[in-house]
């Protein structure tokens, strides 16, 4: 006999299991439902851009980047290995990508972006590096929202708020 629990939305709860045959036997089990969005990000400022987190967990980006390929970044522990899918909405003139880093902070494999959005996390990856950068040769002012999602598998699902939206970011060098 097995028990299956399906999460409805991210958060914490407790499942209580009671025995049908022994009324005095009961077990409470804590359950945490995590977001399928594996990213971690939060407020950041640098290279002329500022990111804040909206109430829905999306990133609000304002400002004018100091140059092409300049922007914001966040580094966080790699939460999964295997195949992942990167998806999201962007702001005209801004792009986002993810790099896999080894224990020394060196990039492993190709970066993930919307052009190659399904990739296998390379062996040896310990952290991920999320960038939001200007693609314009002469950057223009930005004021918009990004909904970026990295999830296990090869299928993009509806955007979901990441579990961690308080990770301090900074300038992407």
């Amino acid at each position: 006999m097995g028990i299956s629990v399906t999460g409805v939305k991210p958060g914490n709860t407790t499942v209580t299991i009671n025995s049908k045959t022994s009324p005095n036997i009961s077990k409470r089990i804590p359950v945490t439902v995590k977001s399928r969005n594996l990213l971690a990000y939060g407020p950041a400022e640098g290279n002329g851009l500022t990111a804040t987190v909206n109430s829905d967990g999306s990133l609000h980006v304002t400002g004018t980047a100091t140059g092409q390929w300049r922007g914001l970044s966040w580094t966080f522990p790699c939460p999964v290995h295997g195949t992942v899918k990167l998806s999201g909405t962007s702001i005209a003139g801004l792009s986002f990508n993810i790099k896999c880093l080894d224990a020394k902070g060196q990039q492993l494999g190709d970066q993930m972006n919307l052009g190659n959005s399904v990739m296998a996390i390379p062996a040896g990856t310990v952290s991920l590096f999320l960038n939001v950068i200007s693609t314009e040769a002469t950057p223009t002012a930005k004021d918009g929202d990004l909904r970026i999602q990295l999830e296990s598998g090869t299928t993009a699902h509806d955007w979901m708020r990441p579990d961690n939206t308080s990770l301090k970011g900074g300038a992407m060098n």
Side-chain angles (χ1 to χ4, degrees), residues 98-141:
I98 296 175
K99 296 175 183 173
C100 298
L101 306 177
D102 66 15
K104 294 181 179 179
Q106 300 299 307
Q107 182 175 337
L108 297 170
D110 295 329
Q111 72 182 22
M112 289 178 266
N113 54 47
L114 291 178
N116 64 343
S117 62
V118 174
M119 292 185 65
I121 301 286
T125 299
V126 297
S127 59
L128 299 179
F129 185 74
L130 169 63
N131 297 302
V132 174
I133 56 174
S134 173
T135 58
E136 300 171 319
T138 303
T140 58

Side-chain angles (χ1 to χ4, degrees), residues 38-63:
L38 304 171
L39 296 177
Y41 53 69
E45 188 171 349
N47 290 323
L49 296 175
T50 300
T52 55
V53 179
N54 293 318
S55 60
D56 71 353
S58 61
L59 279 174
H60 185 77
V61 180
T62 59

Side-chain angles (χ1 to χ4, degrees), residues 12-91:
N12 296 313
T13 191
T14 302
V15 174
T16 302
I17 301 170
N18 295 309
S19 170
K20 283 186 173 182
T21 58
S22 299
N24 294 331
I25 298 176
S26 179
K27 181 73 175 173
R28 295 176 53 88
I29 303 167
V31 175
T32 300
V33 177
K34 294 191 171 205
S35 173
R36 78 174 146 265
N37 191 342
L38 304 171
L39 296 177
Y41 53 69
E45 188 171 349
N47 290 323
L49 296 175
T50 300
T52 55
V53 179
N54 293 318
S55 60
D56 71 353
S58 61
L59 279 174
H60 185 77
V61 180
T62 59
T64 304
T66 57
Q68 188 175 29
W69 313 126
R70 297 284 184 200
L72 304 169
S73 67
W74 298 262
T75 301
F76 53 95
C78 183
V80 68
H81 290 283
T83 302
V84 293
K85 170 81 175 167
L86 177 64
S87 61
T89 60
S90 58
I91 299 168

